[in-house]
Amino acid sequence: MEPLVADLVDVHAEGARAIAAVGADQWSLPTPCEDWDVADLVRHQVMGHRVFTALLAGEPVDRATMWGELGEVDPAQLTTLFVESARDLERAFDAPEALARRITLPIGEVPAEASLHLRLAETMVHGWDLARATGQQPHFPDDLVEREIEASRQLLQRVPAGHSPFGSPVGVPDDAAPLDRLAALLGRTP
């Protein structure tokens, strides 16, 4: 398994652990993502897994239909859907020559390896969002978070104006925790 894919497996495992710890009364809590409650945040992650899996396979993606279908899912099923869609994405990224491909995202065409970095950063930041909303503590390795801060900075420099899927970076002290710095880079206020 490619080292970056192994990192994704680890990040997904921590995401699944945090989602499984969401209490039945917490699914409707607000998150740092404006307009999303905890259930919507997890639905968004499942949709992201499915979208990137389809893109890596060269299949068409209908985001509106996907979101509509996920909106009908009972929150009690979201942990299972997260795990299943994460495994599918891991297999897609680990397929022969997968990281050598180019895929088209709303921000433009990017190497699949850059999209893998995007998935790593997004999963960690949404783990941060989930933790803030539900009173949990995310557990992502600091060295991995530091690498994804740098990868995210490089990717953000290539995003055309007005096409960023993230909020504007927020200033934080240099000595802030790595995950707080990543979250701030992607528009969160730690």
Side-chain angles (χ1 to χ4, degrees):
M1 179 175 287
E2 290 282 336
L4 275 177
V5 178
D7 289 340
L8 187 65
V9 170
D10 292 343
V11 166
H12 283 161
E14 172 57 17
R17 182 211 56 80
I19 294 165
V22 172
D25 61 339
Q26 293 182 309
W27 291 107
S28 61
L29 293 176
T31 70
C33 296
E34 191 173 310
D35 299 328
W36 284 351
D37 61 15
V38 171
D40 287 337
L41 177 72
V42 177
R43 287 181 179 109
H44 168 75
Q45 291 180 79
V46 170
M47 185 170 134
H49 295 156
R50 290 177 175 178
V51 165
F52 278 77
T53 300
L55 291 173
L56 285 163
E59 297 171 358
V61 174
D62 181 347
R63 287 174 174 83
T65 299
M66 264 189 208
W67 186 253
E69 290 169 356
L70 286 168
E72 301 297 318
V73 171
D74 184 311
Q77 299 173 349
L78 289 174
T79 301
T80 300
L81 289 179
F82 179 91
V83 169
E84 290 171 353
S85 62
R87 284 187 189 138
D88 290 343
L89 181 59
E90 293 156 10
R91 283 191 290 272
F93 273 122
D94 201 40
E97 303 300 318
L99 296 181
R101 296 181 190 138
R102 296 186 66 79
I103 62 172
T104 302
L105 303 175
I107 63 171
E109 188 177 86
V110 299
E113 186 171 340
S115 72
L116 176 50
H117 283 289
L118 178 63
R119 296 308 305 155
L120 281 162
E122 186 168 353
T123 302
M124 288 188 284
V125 169
H126 286 322
W128 182 92
D129 293 330
L130 182 72
R132 294 291 174 160
T134 61
Q136 297 186 53
Q137 182 64 41
H139 301 286
F140 300 111
D142 286 348
D143 62 327
L144 177 57
V145 177
E146 292 286 359
R147 285 192 320 238
E148 293 314 311
I149 289 171
E150 186 54 38
S152 295
R153 280 191 183 120
Q154 291 176 15
L155 183 62
L156 289 172
Q157 291 173 1
R158 299 187 315 213
V159 174
H163 287 83
S164 179
F166 308 109
S168 298
V170 174
V172 292
D174 290 340
D175 64 349
L179 190 56
D180 286 345
R181 287 188 284 116
L182 179 61
L185 178 64
L186 302 183
R188 288 8 179 229
T189 303

